Amino acid sequence: MVLVGDAAHVVHPLAGQGVNLGLRDVSALLDTAGRAAESGADIGAPARLARWNRRRRSDNTVSAHAFDLIDRIYSNDAPLPVMVRGHFLGIAGRVPPLNRALWRHAAGT
Ligand SMILES: Cc1cc2nc3c(=O)[nH]c(=O)nc-3n(C[C@H](O)[C@H](O)[C@H](O)COP(=O)(O)OP(=O)(O)OC[C@H]3O[C@@H](n4cnc5c(N)ncnc54)[C@H](O)[C@@H]3O)c2cc1C
């Protein structure tokens, strides 16, 4: 049995990324199972699923922490968070490669 999507991890909804993370779990699982099937190996081998789990846990954990951090910064009106969010948004909007990288990560491409 494997858990994907919200059954495996729930993230703060502010970033609108919950569905994407679940779809990325499924896509990576299909990739893993597909490669095993091509080589005639057991698609449910524990070591294979453990590799998939590590790969997805890393993306999901980084995303969950990032969304929590964004939530903390945007729900706090102390001077430092206000300054950080103003600068961060400004920089992300003015630096096209950073802007594109954030979009690409959010889109899972
Ligand atoms: C307020 C809010 C806003 C959000 N906005 C966004 C957004 O803009 N973009 C985005 O990508 N994500 C958003 N999300 C997150 C997104 O809704 C979830 O990440 C996504 O729905 C998870 O999909 P899932 O299939 O893993 O789980 P779910 O959508 O929770 O599906 C699980 C299904 O299993 C069913 N079920 C539960 N127990 C059983 C059982 N025992 N037997 C049979 N069926 C069962 C449930 O009824 C449900 O239909 C938001 C979440 C919230 C709370």
Side-chain angles (χ1 to χ4, degrees), residues 4-23 25:
V4 299
D6 277 20
H9 46 74
V10 178
V11 296
H12 195 293
L14 70 84
Q17 284 290 304
V19 172
N20 281 356
L21 289 174
L23 291 176
D25 290 346

Side-chain angles (χ1 to χ4, degrees), residues 3-78:
L3 297 179
V4 299
D6 277 20
H9 46 74
V10 178
V11 296
H12 195 293
L14 70 84
Q17 284 290 304
V19 172
N20 281 356
L21 289 174
L23 291 176
R24 293 204 309 248
D25 290 346
V26 174
S27 171
L29 187 58
L30 287 175
D31 185 44
T32 298
R35 271 189 275 146
E38 272 171 22
S39 62
D42 176 8
I43 64 170
R48 190 175 300 279
L49 291 178
R51 272 199 304 278
W52 165 79
N53 185 35
R54 277 196 300 277
R55 185 172 149 200
R56 291 307 307 145
R57 188 163 39 187
S58 155
D59 182 26
N60 289 323
T61 304
V62 169
S63 299
H65 284 304
F67 305 151
D68 280 346
L69 182 64
I70 292 170
D71 178 45
R72 281 166 200 259
I73 291 174
Y74 277 84
S75 58
N76 190 331
D77 285 334

